[in-house]
Amino acid sequence: MKTGRHKATVGFIGIGKMGLPMASRIAAHGYPLKVYDISAAAIMEFCNRFADARAAKTLKEIGRSCKVVILMLPDSDVVKRVLFGEKDTLVPHLSRGSIVIDMSSSNPAVTREIGPRLEESGVDFIDAPVSGGVKRAVDGSLAIMVGGDSTVIARVQPLLSTMGHSIIETGMLGSGHAMKALNNYVSAAGLLVACEALKIGVDFGIPPDKIIAVLNASTGKNNSTENKMMQFVVPKQFNSGFSLGLMRKDITIATDLSKRLGSKTLLGEILLKSWTDAETKLGGAADHTEIFRMLDG
Ligand code: NAD
């Protein structure tokens, strides 16, 4: 993709909690942008911020006008619907040599099925999911794990750099999505165990801020103790911007992967059950930090 004054128009599909700040970074770097979402409110919010951004009314319009299209959608089912759905759909309208980048946290097995189907249409496909949440999407410092053909990745490297600082190539198509699920498997375990330590410590009579201060000064420190406990859990704000349903989805992907590969886990089933029970009780739209409520009554 060209850099400088003549950048190709980028299509961005899925202007949600993450898509909005990510697309904003792309627009702020001077890329002509065309956005699409099934939510009219989401599109309006974006176009109000960026006068130069254009809203597409259909996926066909995105396909016809963009050589690079980014997907930031809830899951693989939605990704497949957008690409190959029955009514308005993207793939038939993409020109040969186009690149589709799936930045959603999708299922790697589905991603590996999609690749050859797009190849039949002469369209390149890479997976580039992200980590860092809304905060790091806003400041453009996401971690991006990228799977697929290195020459295709090189063509969109400048575009990816507008959204992230650590861009790590993980290998074959789908390996970025596999790594994303594994990262959130670790992250979900770290949050749950930090919540449990908080609950036990408080029941013992230790003030919450002391509990988190000790963990952060000691070997129990993790991303949740540093960036979630005092910010969202202890004050019961529960507004990190990442939903419980999406976290449960990522753990499901990781545990499915372990089953398919025969990789032994001790915590996998317990973790999946804990987060599935939380989703049943609190709803998928609850913030993922609300997992603490499962311990707090
Ligand atoms: P979100 O629900 O806020 O956004 C998803 C967007 O996709 C919504 O605006 C929705 O209207 C749109 N959408 C749904 N179906 C569509 C369709 N058929 N066509 C077009 N648009 C459609 O979710 P999010 O939190 O922004 O997460 C998006 C992806 O990023 C997920 O895969 C999630 O797991 C991943 N992720 C989220 C975070 C986070 O902190 N929120 C962090 C890293 C990765």
Side-chain angles (χ1 to χ4, degrees):
M1 163 127 263
K2 286 180 191 158
T3 53
R5 289 184 59 215
H6 305 291
K7 290 167 175 155
T9 300
V10 175
F12 201 110
I13 302 174
I15 309 291
K17 290 190 203 75
M18 290 295 282
L20 177 75
M22 288 163 67
S24 301
R25 295 284 309 175
I26 296 171
H29 280 77
Y31 285 87
L33 200 61
K34 206 161 237 194
V35 297
Y36 177 84
D37 196 293
I38 45 167
S39 158
I43 291 190
M44 199 184 300
E45 186 181 348
F46 185 80
C47 292
N48 283 344
R49 285 197 203 184
F50 290 94
D52 289 345
R54 295 280 168 265
K57 288 199 176 58
T58 58
L59 292 169
K60 176 179 174 181
E61 197 182 328
I62 293 268
R64 293 229 163 142
S65 51
C66 306
K67 291 285 281 181
V68 176
V69 180
I70 292 175
L71 311 179
M72 194 55 179
L73 296 163
D75 56 36
S76 286
D77 286 342
V78 181
V79 166
K80 276 203 295 189
R81 216 175 307 137
V82 162
L83 293 174
F84 311 112
E86 278 171 10
K87 276 192 192 158
D88 180 36
T89 182
L90 185 69
V91 174
H93 308 289
L94 288 168
S95 57
R96 296 187 82 77
S98 303
I99 303 175
V100 174
I101 310 172
D102 184 9
M103 301 192 78
S104 332
S105 302
S106 299
N107 185 327
V110 176
T111 302
R112 290 191 61 75
E113 288 165 16
I114 290 174
R117 288 182 72 181
L118 289 190
E119 205 177 330
E120 282 169 19
S121 307
V123 174
D124 289 310
F125 186 50
I126 59 173
D127 50 311
V130 304
S131 180
V134 174
K135 189 163 168 267
R136 283 171 62 185
V138 169
D139 65 22
S141 66
L142 290 167
I144 308 180
M145 45 226 90
V146 198
D149 186 327
S150 289
T151 57
V152 178
I153 296 169
R155 281 160 59 199
V156 294
Q157 184 82 22
L159 175 63
L160 295 177
S161 321
T162 65
M163 295 174 274
H165 287 169
S166 320
I167 300 174
I168 302 174
E169 283 192 46
T170 47
M172 64 184 163
L173 182 69
S175 60
H177 282 150
M179 268 320 304
K180 171 64 195 178
L182 293 175
N183 176 74
N184 278 18
Y185 181 73
V186 173
S187 175
L191 173 60
L192 184 51
V193 85
C195 286
E196 290 186 357
L198 175 68
K199 174 75 175 125
I200 299 165
V202 167
D203 288 348
F204 189 76
I206 307 169
D209 58 323
K210 300 290 180 202
I211 297 168
I212 304 306
V214 170
L215 291 175
N216 281 334
S218 312
T219 52
K221 176 169 77 172
N222 67 28
N223 178 58
S224 292
T225 64
E226 284 191 304
N227 298 313
K228 297 181 186 175
M229 300 308 287
M230 289 310 291
Q231 294 82 349
F232 308 117
V233 177
V234 171
K236 302 201 169 158
Q237 297 282 331
F238 303 124
N239 59 349
S240 75
F242 181 48
S243 75
L244 206 153
L246 289 178
M247 182 63 109
R248 196 273 313 143
K249 169 202 65 173
D250 293 336
I251 300 163
T252 305
I253 293 171
T255 50
D256 281 354
L257 206 55
S258 79
K259 282 176 212 149
R260 225 161 24 87
L261 298 170
S263 313
K264 181 175 173 181
T265 66
L266 300 180
L267 287 181
E269 286 307 315
I270 298 169
L271 202 59
L272 181 58
K273 183 175 180 331
S274 305
W275 285 85
T276 305
D277 288 351
E279 187 179 11
T280 305
K281 187 158 180 201
L282 305 170
D287 195 83
H288 77 294
T289 55
E290 291 188 61
I291 189 83
F292 181 73
R293 288 194 202 276
M294 297 297 283
L295 310 170
D296 203 27

